[in-house]
Amino acid sequence: MAVVVRNIERADPRAAGALAAFGVATVHEAQGRRGLLAPRIRPIWPGARISGTAVTVSVPPGDNWMIHVAVEQCSDGDILVVAPTSRCDDGYFGELLATAVAARGVRGLVIDAGCRDVRELAEMGFPVWSRCVSAAGTVKETLGDVNVPVVCAGQLVRPGDVIVADDDGVAVVARDEAAAVLDASTARHDREAAARRRYAAGELSLDVNQMRGALAARGLTYVDQPAAGTAGSAGADRDH
C-alpha cells in the first residue's frame, strides 16, 4: 500500500543546520566513517554546502508523481531525498519542482537518479546532488511512498535524519545522533585547525601526529644514499 507519512519527527534543527559548516568529510570521519552515500552522487554545480532534515521519497522507475506529492510534506530546513525502487537515470527533477520546494524552505535535493534544467537550477541557486544529468522525462502514473525509510546510494535514510552535502558528496546522520555528531565534528575541526597551524609553520605531519614510532614498529627503515664513487654505487652513472 502506498503511504504518505505526515508530521514526521525531525532531528534537532540547531544540530541539523550547524553540521553544514563542517562539511561532508569531517562529519563522515567524526561519526566513525559511517553514512557516506556512494560517490556516484555528485553536485550538478559546484560550491554548494548544505545540511538539513530528510524528507524521503520512494519512486518507481521513470515516474516522478510522488515527488509532487512530497512537496506538501516539506518544511523550512528540509532536504528532499529521492530513491527509485530500481535503477533509473531519467530526469525526475527540474526547475519547476525546485521552484515549488524552494518556496517551502527546502535547502536542496539528493536523488539517486537523474535531474535536468541544470543551468536554471544553478541560476536560481538550488543545490542538487544526483546520479546523473538527463533530459529524459518521466510520467505520473504509479504510486510510491513519502517519508518512509529508503536506501539512497547505498545508505539507509530515515525521515528526519540529517543530510550533509557539499562538493565532496553526501552523508547521512541518524536523527537521534545529530547532537553527538555535531559535538564530535566540532572537536575534529578544532584538532585539524591546530594541526593546520603547525603545518603552516613548517612542522612535519610525522611529528605533529607522532607517527614515527608506529612506522618504526611496522618495520620502516631509513637509509642514506651512498656518495658517488663509494662502494655500492658502482654502475650508478652508467648509460643504459
Side-chain angles (χ1 to χ4, degrees):
M1 180 181 69
V3 64
V4 175
V5 179
R6 299 182 294 187
N7 303 315
I8 61 170
E9 183 178 354
R10 292 168 166 84
D12 172 63
R14 183 191 68 87
L19 283 168
F22 300 103
V24 169
T26 293
V27 170
H28 167 60
E29 294 276 5
Q31 65 173 348
R33 297 182 180 176
R34 296 178 292 124
L36 190 64
L37 274 63
R40 64 176 178 265
I41 305 300
R42 301 299 304 152
I44 64 166
W45 52 268
R49 174 180 279 192
I50 63 172
S51 63
T53 45
V55 168
T56 62
V57 192
S58 176
V59 294
D63 193 313
N64 77 346
W65 205 4
M66 296 308 293
I67 301 179
H68 290 266
V69 173
V71 173
E72 186 179 21
Q73 305 308 316
C74 293
S75 298
D76 185 43
D78 284 339
I79 295 174
L80 205 58
V81 179
V82 179
T85 53
S86 62
R87 176 172 175 170
C88 183
D89 295 337
D90 291 348
Y92 281 77
F93 187 95
E95 176 263 337
L96 285 176
L97 274 169
T99 300
V101 295
R104 300 185 70 85
V106 171
R107 293 174 177 168
L109 167 76
V110 176
I111 181 168
D112 194 9
C115 77
R116 57 186 187 178
D117 300 337
V118 172
R119 179 175 179 175
E120 290 82 359
L121 291 169
E123 288 175 348
M124 65 186 291
F126 189 85
V128 173
W129 285 258
S130 70
R131 182 188 188 105
C132 62
V133 172
S134 173
T138 55
V139 299
K140 297 167 181 61
E141 298 287 346
T142 308
L143 296 179
D145 301 294
V146 176
N147 281 332
V148 300
V150 298
V151 174
C152 186
Q155 292 292 331
L156 178 64
V157 181
R158 298 178 180 87
D161 283 350
V162 179
I163 299 295
V164 185
D166 61 18
D167 285 342
D168 288 341
V170 181
V172 57
V173 177
R175 181 186 67 208
D176 57 359
E177 297 178 10
V181 173
L182 176 60
D183 290 342
S185 298
T186 302
R188 183 178 181 87
H189 176 270
D190 291 346
R191 291 194 301 271
E192 291 181 346
R196 188 178 299 109
R197 288 191 294 271
R198 295 178 68 179
Y199 294 169
E203 291 189 65
L204 294 173
S205 59
L206 291 175
D207 298 320
V208 171
N209 298 297
Q210 301 179 339
M211 296 179 181
R212 294 189 187 277
L215 290 167
R218 295 290 180 92
L220 182 66
T221 301
Y222 291 83
V223 299
D224 294 326
Q225 180 178 344
T230 62
S233 65
D237 296 327
R238 293 176 184 169
D239 292 330
H240 294 283

Coordinates of all heavy atoms in Angstrom, one line a residue, residues 118-155:
V118 N 19.8 22.0 -15.6 CA 20.9 22.3 -14.7 C 21.2 23.8 -14.7 O 21.5 24.4 -13.7 CB 22.2 21.5 -15.2 CG1 23.4 22.0 -14.5 CG2 21.9 20.0 -15.0
R119 N 21.2 24.4 -15.9 CA 21.5 25.9 -15.9 C 20.5 26.7 -15.1 O 21.0 27.6 -14.3 CB 21.5 26.4 -17.4 CG 21.8 27.9 -17.5 CD 21.8 28.3 -19.0 NE 22.1 29.7 -19.2 CZ 22.3 30.3 -20.3 NH1 22.3 29.6 -21.4 NH2 22.5 31.6 -20.4
E120 N 19.3 26.4 -15.2 CA 18.3 27.1 -14.4 C 18.4 26.9 -12.9 O 18.3 27.8 -12.1 CB 16.9 26.7 -14.9 CG 16.5 27.2 -16.3 CD 17.0 26.3 -17.4 OE1 17.7 25.3 -17.1 OE2 16.7 26.6 -18.6
L121 N 18.7 25.6 -12.6 CA 18.9 25.3 -11.1 C 20.1 26.1 -10.6 O 20.1 26.6 -9.5 CB 19.1 23.8 -11.0 CG 17.9 23.0 -11.2 CD1 18.2 21.5 -11.3 CD2 16.8 23.2 -10.1
A122 N 21.2 26.2 -11.4 CA 22.4 26.9 -10.9 C 22.1 28.4 -10.8 O 22.5 29.1 -9.8 CB 23.5 26.7 -11.9
E123 N 21.3 28.9 -11.8 CA 21.0 30.3 -11.7 C 20.1 30.7 -10.5 O 20.3 31.8 -10.0 CB 20.3 30.7 -13.0 CG 21.2 30.8 -14.2 CD 20.5 31.1 -15.5 OE1 19.2 31.0 -15.6 OE2 21.2 31.4 -16.6
M124 N 19.2 29.8 -10.2 CA 18.4 30.1 -9.0 C 19.0 29.7 -7.7 O 18.5 29.9 -6.6 CB 17.0 29.4 -9.1 CG 17.0 27.9 -9.1 SD 15.4 27.1 -9.5 CE 14.5 27.6 -8.0
G125 N 20.2 29.1 -7.8 CA 20.9 28.7 -6.6 C 20.4 27.6 -5.8 O 20.5 27.5 -4.6
F126 N 19.7 26.7 -6.5 CA 19.1 25.5 -5.8 C 20.0 24.3 -6.0 O 20.2 23.8 -7.1 CB 17.7 25.2 -6.4 CG 17.0 24.1 -5.6 CD1 16.2 24.5 -4.5 CD2 17.1 22.8 -5.9 CE1 15.6 23.5 -3.7 CE2 16.4 21.8 -5.1 CZ 15.7 22.2 -4.0
P127 N 20.6 23.8 -4.9 CA 21.5 22.7 -5.0 C 20.9 21.3 -5.2 O 19.9 21.0 -4.6 CB 22.3 22.7 -3.6 CG 21.7 24.0 -2.9 CD 20.4 24.3 -3.5
V128 N 21.5 20.6 -6.1 CA 21.1 19.2 -6.4 C 22.3 18.3 -6.4 O 23.3 18.6 -7.0 CB 20.3 19.1 -7.7 CG1 20.0 17.6 -8.0 CG2 19.0 19.9 -7.6
W129 N 22.2 17.2 -5.7 CA 23.2 16.1 -5.9 C 22.5 14.9 -6.5 O 21.4 14.4 -6.0 CB 23.7 15.7 -4.5 CG 24.7 16.7 -3.9 CD1 26.0 16.6 -3.9 CD2 24.4 17.9 -3.3 NE1 26.6 17.7 -3.3 CE2 25.6 18.6 -2.9 CE3 23.2 18.6 -3.0 CZ2 25.6 19.8 -2.3 CZ3 23.2 19.9 -2.4 CH2 24.4 20.4 -2.0
S130 N 23.0 14.4 -7.6 CA 22.2 13.4 -8.4 C 23.2 12.4 -8.9 O 24.4 12.6 -9.0 CB 21.5 14.1 -9.6 OG 22.4 14.5 -10.6
R131 N 22.6 11.3 -9.4 CA 23.4 10.2 -10.0 C 23.9 10.7 -11.4 O 25.0 10.3 -11.8 CB 22.5 9.0 -10.2 CG 23.2 7.8 -10.8 CD 22.2 6.6 -11.0 NE 22.9 5.4 -11.4 CZ 23.1 4.4 -10.6 NH1 22.6 4.4 -9.4 NH2 23.7 3.3 -11.1
C132 N 23.1 11.5 -12.1 CA 23.4 11.9 -13.4 C 22.6 13.1 -13.8 O 21.7 13.5 -13.1 CB 23.2 10.7 -14.4 SG 21.5 10.2 -14.6
V133 N 22.9 13.6 -14.9 CA 22.1 14.7 -15.6 C 21.4 14.1 -16.8 O 22.1 13.5 -17.6 CB 22.9 15.9 -15.9 CG1 22.1 16.9 -16.7 CG2 23.5 16.6 -14.7
S134 N 20.1 14.2 -16.9 CA 19.4 13.6 -18.0 C 18.2 14.4 -18.4 O 17.4 14.8 -17.5 CB 18.9 12.2 -17.7 OG 18.1 11.7 -18.7
A135 N 18.0 14.7 -19.6 CA 16.8 15.5 -20.1 C 15.6 14.6 -20.2 O 14.5 15.1 -20.5 CB 17.1 16.2 -21.4
A136 N 15.8 13.3 -20.1 CA 14.7 12.3 -20.3 C 13.6 12.6 -19.3 O 13.8 12.7 -18.1 CB 15.2 10.9 -20.1
G137 N 12.4 12.7 -19.8 CA 11.2 13.0 -19.0 C 10.7 11.8 -18.3 O 11.0 10.6 -18.5
T138 N 9.8 12.0 -17.3 CA 9.1 11.0 -16.5 C 7.6 11.1 -16.7 O 7.1 12.1 -17.1 CB 9.5 11.1 -15.0 OG1 9.2 12.4 -14.6 CG2 11.0 10.8 -14.9
V139 N 6.9 10.1 -16.2 CA 5.4 10.1 -16.3 C 4.9 10.3 -14.8 O 5.7 10.3 -13.9 CB 4.9 8.8 -16.9 CG1 5.4 8.6 -18.3 CG2 5.3 7.6 -16.0
K140 N 3.6 10.3 -14.7 CA 2.9 10.4 -13.4 C 1.8 9.4 -13.5 O 0.6 9.7 -13.7 CB 2.4 11.8 -13.2 CG 3.5 12.9 -13.2 CD 3.0 14.3 -13.2 CE 4.2 15.3 -13.2 NZ 5.1 15.1 -14.3
E141 N 2.1 8.1 -13.2 CA 1.2 7.0 -13.3 C 1.2 6.1 -12.1 O 0.1 5.5 -11.8 CB 1.6 6.2 -14.6 CG 1.5 6.9 -15.9 CD 0.1 7.2 -16.3 OE1 -0.8 6.5 -15.8 OE2 -0.1 8.0 -17.3
T142 N 2.3 5.9 -11.4 CA 2.4 4.9 -10.4 C 2.7 5.5 -9.0 O 3.5 6.4 -8.9 CB 3.5 3.9 -10.8 OG1 3.3 3.5 -12.1 CG2 3.5 2.7 -9.9
L143 N 2.1 4.9 -8.0 CA 2.3 5.4 -6.7 C 3.6 4.9 -6.1 O 4.1 3.9 -6.5 CB 1.1 5.0 -5.8 CG -0.3 5.5 -6.1 CD1 -1.3 5.0 -5.1 CD2 -0.3 7.0 -6.1
G144 N 4.1 5.7 -5.1 CA 5.2 5.3 -4.3 C 4.9 5.7 -2.9 O 3.8 5.7 -2.4
D145 N 6.0 6.1 -2.1 CA 5.8 6.4 -0.7 C 6.6 7.7 -0.4 O 7.6 8.0 -1.0 CB 6.4 5.3 0.2 CG 5.6 3.9 -0.1 OD1 4.4 3.9 0.2 OD2 6.3 3.0 -0.6
V146 N 6.1 8.4 0.6 CA 6.7 9.6 1.1 C 6.9 9.4 2.6 O 6.0 9.0 3.4 CB 5.9 10.8 0.9 CG1 6.5 12.1 1.5 CG2 5.7 11.0 -0.6
N147 N 8.1 9.8 3.1 CA 8.5 9.7 4.5 C 8.5 8.3 5.1 O 7.9 8.0 6.1 CB 7.7 10.7 5.3 CG 8.2 12.1 5.2 OD1 9.4 12.3 4.9 ND2 7.3 13.1 5.3
V148 N 9.1 7.4 4.3 CA 9.4 6.0 4.8 C 10.9 5.9 4.7 O 11.5 6.6 3.9 CB 8.6 5.0 4.0 CG1 7.1 5.2 4.1 CG2 9.1 5.0 2.5
P149 N 11.5 4.9 5.4 CA 12.9 4.7 5.2 C 13.2 4.2 3.8 O 12.5 3.4 3.2 CB 13.2 3.6 6.2 CG 12.1 3.7 7.3 CD 10.9 4.1 6.5
V150 N 14.3 4.8 3.2 CA 14.7 4.5 1.9 C 16.2 4.2 1.9 O 16.9 4.7 2.8 CB 14.4 5.6 0.8 CG1 12.9 5.8 0.8 CG2 15.2 6.8 1.2
V151 N 16.6 3.4 0.9 CA 18.1 3.2 0.7 C 18.4 4.1 -0.5 O 17.9 3.9 -1.6 CB 18.4 1.8 0.4 CG1 19.9 1.6 0.1 CG2 18.1 0.9 1.7
C152 N 19.3 5.1 -0.3 CA 19.7 6.0 -1.3 C 21.2 5.9 -1.5 O 21.9 6.2 -0.5 CB 19.3 7.5 -1.0 SG 19.6 8.7 -2.3
A153 N 21.6 5.5 -2.7 CA 23.0 5.4 -3.0 C 23.8 4.5 -1.9 O 24.8 4.9 -1.5 CB 23.7 6.7 -3.2
G154 N 23.1 3.5 -1.5 CA 23.8 2.5 -0.6 C 23.6 2.8 0.9 O 24.1 2.0 1.7
Q155 N 23.0 3.9 1.3 CA 22.8 4.3 2.7 C 21.3 4.3 3.1 O 20.5 4.9 2.3 CB 23.5 5.6 3.0 CG 25.0 5.6 2.9 CD 25.6 4.7 4.0 OE1 25.1 4.5 5.1 NE2 26.8 4.2 3.7

